Amino acid sequence: MPRARGWETVPMSDSSPDRTAVPVLDVWCELQCTDCRSALDDLRALRARYGDRLELRLRHFPLEKHKHSFAAAQAAEEAAEQGQGWPYVEAVLGRVEELDRGGEAFLIEVARELGLDAEEFDTALIDGRHILIVDADQAEGKAIGVTGTPTYVIGGERLDGGKSQEGLRERVEEIADRLLAEQA
């Protein structure tokens, strides 16, 4: 499911007929997950290494065991709509314990700190305008076997980071390098 807005590493334009499609790394994430917070360093390293040669997309997989994860996923979509998807995700993941305690008020506070329209965040959480995106991501994740977070999908291969982050970035790099070499 292609992201409609805000999650690509670099804005992608589908209007260029000669543009070669770049490999896509879907990151199934939950914003109340400490393992996802640990994965941020790997995601930053991948963005630094590949830049616009790898499309990095956040996919939502809120877990029932985390009370505020569904609201956090909706808030992340609102941040993406306001042009700050990744900075918002990184800010929330960096303060998981505060999300545990503060819930929706914390999500709105982070939006305010990033200079986003906090009132619009509040409205979005009330009216549920992003629920369908979050539901669709979660359903697709379940359909392809995602059971925990973070989980990565690249080149048709699913890599489960919820069990261990050990060696995952290297495996993603191997697959991305292979996919890029196949395009050359």
Side-chain angles (χ1 to χ4, degrees):
M1 173 182 163
R3 269 288 175 257
R5 62 194 184 279
W7 292 114
E8 296 82 12
T9 304
V10 172
M12 300 292 176
S13 169
D14 294 326
S15 61
S16 173
D18 60 348
R19 182 180 157 277
T20 303
V22 298
V24 173
L25 172 62
D26 283 320
V27 181
W28 300 87
C29 182
E30 200 249 31
L31 298 185
Q32 213 170 342
C33 170
T34 55
D35 289 332
C36 290
R37 175 177 53 198
S38 299
L40 280 177
D41 287 338
D42 285 342
L43 296 177
R44 288 181 191 116
L46 290 166
R47 284 192 296 225
R49 177 175 175 169
Y50 293 101
D52 64 355
R53 296 179 306 132
L54 178 67
E55 185 177 332
L56 188 64
R57 294 190 304 208
L58 181 80
R59 306 300 299 274
H60 302 288
F61 201 78
L63 301 170
E64 288 184 25
K65 68 181 180 178
H66 293 133
K67 177 171 142 178
H68 306 295
S69 62
F70 196 80
Q74 292 176 74
E77 282 300 316
E78 181 59 31
E81 192 162 285
Q82 292 187 32
Q84 294 290 320
W86 282 110
Y88 186 83
V89 164
E90 290 192 23
V92 172
L93 279 174
R95 296 160 59 188
V96 168
E97 294 79 12
E98 289 180 66
L99 174 56
D100 289 344
R101 290 188 304 273
E104 290 185 19
F106 169 75
L107 296 170
I108 294 166
E109 175 187 323
V110 171
R112 191 173 289 113
E113 290 170 4
L114 292 174
L116 300 171
D117 184 340
E119 286 183 30
E120 198 60 31
F121 263 78
D122 191 35
T123 303
L125 290 172
I126 291 168
D127 70 20
R129 68 183 73 159
H130 302 295
I131 286 175
L132 293 178
I133 292 170
V134 176
D135 283 347
D137 274 3
Q138 192 168 41
E140 185 176 344
K142 286 179 181 177
I144 65 168
V146 174
T147 58
T149 58
T151 297
Y152 309 98
V153 177
I154 182 170
E157 190 169 337
R158 189 183 71 229
L159 307 167
D160 184 356
K163 294 178 181 159
S164 171
Q165 294 289 309
E166 187 69 34
L168 267 183
R169 184 175 79 209
E170 292 80 8
R171 184 67 187 126
V172 169
E173 289 171 348
E174 288 172 15
I175 296 168
D177 290 345
R178 177 178 44 85
L179 294 171
L180 288 166
E182 289 170 1
Q183 290 179 347

